[in-house]
Amino acid sequence: MERLILELQTFDLDAHGAGTPEAFGETVVARVLAAWDGGAALVLLPEFLWMGLAPRAPGGDARAVAELFWGRRWPSLAPRLARPGKAAVLGTAPWAAPDGSLRNRAPIACDGAFLHQDKLHLTPWELGFSPGDVLRVWNLGGARCAVAVCLDVEVPELAAALRGRELDLLLVPSATESILGVERVGRCADARAVALGCPVGLAHLVGAIDSELLGANVGRLGVFSPSQSAFVSAPRRLVTEVVDSGHHRLRAELDLAALRRQRAARGETDPSRLRPGPVRVEG
């Protein structure tokens, strides 16, 4: 794959407060299919969008949403997303592990197969959740991709763990309730593009819901590119305005061939090539 068309979407919880779980799921799948039919190869949706099922789940808490989504809706939705040559990160949903713990899990459809990414670092209000312990790198048409769920992209150790993996794209589904959260996630996503030498795509949740996890949400869409010579003639920071409502899209065509030419070149400062040893801190 020489070029990859990425579509990022916000998701407005306020706009989907009525209807059945089936209708809610249809809305999400329809947006992914429309993006694919319109030429996008990969779609990114925001963190915790499936908490929009809370008003439709008995009890309305995270565990009820986990049962409703993974037990009842995902088995019927997944086959419709099994399209060769296409991928989608379908936001995140609570997932109940066999030991009874909850994880914040991103379902991923990729080239006709399905996998997932658990959030590795949890916010103070994810008290009922347990962190994941594996960061997966997956492949779409030769493009090596990974998902960092919201707070994960703010953790520098993630970039260190991925260094040397020749990642082609990092995807960040996010949900934040303040402009400070938007800034933290966005500024760190930009930094990861520099540190890893690859594009980073970001999609935020918007709208409000009355739940144990989410209140009012604000965010934006963004694509950040490496600060290397192969990208000097292209925008290295493409972002929308910060919004608190509405369905917004941002589409970017990623030049994977330029990314690989950059990696083959020498004689330029490139943080993604560094292999630093242990650093002693004094004082």
Side-chain angles (χ1 to χ4, degrees):
M1 183 182 294
E2 297 294 299
R3 308 183 80 84
L4 186 151
I5 297 178
L6 170 66
E7 181 165 304
L8 314 167
Q9 299 187 18
T10 61
F11 192 88
D12 188 340
L13 293 173
D14 279 325
H16 304 284
T20 64
E22 292 77 12
F24 187 93
E26 286 297 318
T27 296
V28 177
V29 170
R31 290 185 179 178
V32 173
L33 296 179
W36 285 349
D37 291 342
L42 200 161
V43 180
L44 174 63
L45 297 172
E47 182 187 23
F48 276 136
L49 80 82
W50 293 103
M51 282 302 294
L53 289 171
R56 307 156 176 83
D61 61 6
R63 195 167 295 277
V65 171
E67 181 179 353
L68 177 56
F69 175 69
W70 296 102
R72 292 172 49 194
R73 298 309 312 132
W74 182 238
S76 62
L77 297 175
R80 299 177 55 197
L81 298 167
R83 186 180 296 189
K86 302 288 188 179
V89 179
L90 294 139
T92 74
W95 175 77
D99 65 3
S101 64
L102 285 175
R103 294 194 179 189
N104 185 356
R105 175 164 289 190
I108 303 167
C110 179
D111 202 18
F114 300 94
L115 60 153
H116 65 268
Q117 178 62 56
D118 291 333
K119 191 173 184 177
L120 307 177
H121 302 87
L122 302 175
T123 59
W125 53 87
E126 290 174 292
L127 290 173
F129 287 76
S130 297
D133 55 5
V134 175
L135 180 61
R136 290 176 170 82
V137 177
W138 39 279
N139 193 297
L140 176 65
R144 291 170 56 78
C145 307
V147 173
V149 180
C150 200
L151 181 58
D152 287 344
V153 81
E154 301 180 42
V155 180
E157 287 82 357
L158 179 137
L162 287 170
R163 186 183 292 121
R165 299 281 183 170
E166 294 195 343
L167 199 68
D168 294 307
L169 178 61
L170 182 64
L171 298 160
V172 185
S174 182
T176 55
E177 296 183 341
S178 75
I179 187 62
L180 296 178
V182 175
E183 289 178 0
R184 284 197 311 271
V185 174
R187 291 167 69 182
C188 290
D190 201 354
R192 300 300 163 253
V194 172
L196 293 171
C198 74
V200 178
L202 167 65
H204 277 276
L205 190 69
V206 297
I209 189 171
D210 182 15
S211 81
E212 60 182 345
L213 283 172
L214 300 171
N217 299 275
V218 297
R220 68 183 352 155
L221 304 170
V223 179
F224 308 94
S225 296
S227 292
Q228 306 297 150
S229 59
F231 303 93
V232 69
S233 299
R236 287 173 294 286
R237 188 173 184 272
L238 180 63
V239 297
T240 66
E241 295 296 320
V242 176
V243 295
D244 60 9
S245 63
H247 180 216
H248 305 271
R249 296 182 178 89
L250 179 64
R251 182 170 285 202
E253 186 172 4
L254 307 181
D255 190 343
L256 301 181
L259 186 62
R260 287 156 191 159
R261 287 195 303 272
Q262 180 68 45
R263 289 177 179 151
R266 291 293 184 268
E268 181 179 355
T269 301
D270 185 347
S272 70
R273 298 180 190 272
L274 298 178
R275 300 291 184 273
V279 175
R280 186 178 72 255
V281 178
E282 296 181 352

